Amino acid sequence: MIETTKAIVLNTIKYGDTSLITTCYTQKSGVKTYMLRGVLKAKKAKIKSAYFQPLMQLNLTANHNNKGNLNSIRDLEVSNFYNAIYTDIKKQTIALFLAEILYYSIREEEQNSTLFQYLESSFLWLDAHDNISNFHLLFLLNLTKYLGFYPETGNVENSYFDLLEGRFTKHHNYNTVTGDNLVQFKKLLGINFDVIHQVNFNAENRQAVLSILVQYYELHLEGFKKPKSLEILKSVFS
């Protein structure tokens, strides 16, 4: 089936000497993986390898096959140009990290317009703003709304947060967050990106909250892998 859709690049790997395999999250059909034959040697071709950087936003026309099969791209263009994500080291590191997170988190080959809109608008916000040191933390927390495990906030005054149950509790176990880490984690609840710069995390707080969020994902998503870029992210924001 030939389909034209917006898409966000999640992962790209080299295949042989001249080709790439890229995985994108599409607006109309969810996760799709494409074989880009000869793209590394065709200097004058319209489809260029530069289009497949992490989180690149594209309009593409593709031949979408049955689920699980490699697809092919007929035509594409950049839908939203970034001004800073690929030139600013902090934004570039965040983009690499979040692309990995999304690659390991989203598996559905079906339309989810609200999730796509969240991704699209979030990355445009990241590109356009300067105070972004806490962006990835709030992005990860709010992404759980679309993945189905956003924290229950009914008993937010309780002393523990149970990562496995996704709720605040009075009871401690090996999956609970407590103390200052819990205080820092709560700062992200119920806010949006426009006030994220007002959250007063120091480097230690930021690392602690990031570790909590990654563990939260590991507990709730089958097959989720800790991103290889996690250590790079921690180093850049330490």
Side-chain angles (χ1 to χ4, degrees):
M1 178 180 67
I2 305 300
E3 188 169 55
T4 298
T5 180
K6 288 183 176 181
I8 297 172
V9 177
L10 304 184
N11 178 263
T12 303
I13 59 172
K14 190 175 180 181
Y15 181 79
D17 294 328
T18 63
S19 303
L20 296 174
I21 296 176
T22 188
T23 300
C24 301
Y25 186 67
T26 70
Q27 185 179 39
K28 292 183 178 179
S29 299
V31 175
K32 290 292 183 183
T33 300
Y34 304 94
M35 171 66 76
L36 305 168
R37 294 190 184 278
V39 69
L40 297 178
K41 70 174 183 179
K43 295 181 180 180
K44 295 184 179 180
K46 187 170 184 179
I47 298 176
K48 303 180 186 302
S49 60
Y51 290 145
F52 301 98
Q53 298 180 72
L55 305 187
M56 186 73 82
Q57 297 192 23
L58 306 171
N59 278 323
L60 56 84
T61 299
N63 183 16
H64 285 162
N65 302 311
N66 294 327
K67 291 185 177 182
N69 294 332
L70 290 175
N71 304 276
S72 58
I73 296 175
R74 292 191 167 196
D75 196 13
L76 86 168
E77 62 182 4
V78 177
S79 60
N80 291 307
F81 285 92
Y82 296 136
N83 294 312
I85 283 181
Y86 303 126
T87 56
D88 180 290
I89 185 62
K90 288 187 175 181
K91 293 183 180 183
Q92 190 176 38
T93 304
I94 288 175
L96 179 62
F97 172 73
L98 294 182
E100 275 198 89
I101 288 282
L102 293 168
Y103 179 70
Y104 291 129
S105 299
I106 307 174
R107 290 285 183 259
E108 291 75 20
E109 293 188 48
E110 57 189 37
Q111 186 178 44
N112 186 333
S113 297
T114 55
L115 173 55
F116 188 90
Q117 183 177 18
Y118 172 68
L119 301 181
E120 182 181 46
S121 61
S122 295
F123 301 142
L124 291 175
W125 191 100
L126 171 64
D127 183 60
H129 291 78
D130 295 325
N131 296 314
I132 49 83
S133 294
N134 299 324
F135 172 87
H136 55 293
L137 304 177
L138 184 58
F139 177 88
L140 290 179
L141 179 63
N142 286 343
L143 180 61
T144 64
K145 295 178 183 177
Y146 305 92
L147 300 179
F149 55 98
Y150 189 79
E152 294 180 22
T153 57
N155 296 300
V156 71
E157 73 283 353
N158 285 340
S159 300
Y160 304 98
F161 178 71
D162 190 316
L163 290 168
L164 187 60
E165 297 294 330
R167 59 187 178 88
F168 294 90
T169 178
K170 296 179 180 179
H171 307 290
H172 173 70
N173 63 54
Y174 61 89
N175 282 320
T176 53
V177 179
T178 189
D180 186 58
N181 284 348
L182 183 63
V183 172
Q184 305 307 323
F185 178 70
K186 285 181 179 180
K187 291 179 180 179
L188 295 176
L189 295 172
I191 67 171
N192 60 39
F193 290 125
D194 289 333
V195 296
I196 190 63
H197 64 282
Q198 298 175 11
V199 178
N200 57 337
F201 288 145
N202 59 32
E204 185 178 352
N205 298 150
R206 194 173 292 114
Q207 304 291 13
V209 173
L210 178 59
S211 295
I212 290 168
L213 288 165
V214 171
Q215 185 182 358
Y216 195 41
Y217 274 68
E218 288 179 309
L219 288 170
H220 287 267
L221 294 175
E222 184 178 355
F224 179 83
K225 297 180 181 179
K226 188 175 292 185
K228 295 178 181 179
S229 57
L230 179 60
E231 294 306 315
I232 301 173
L233 184 76
K234 288 181 176 179
S235 176
V236 168
F237 287 95
S238 63

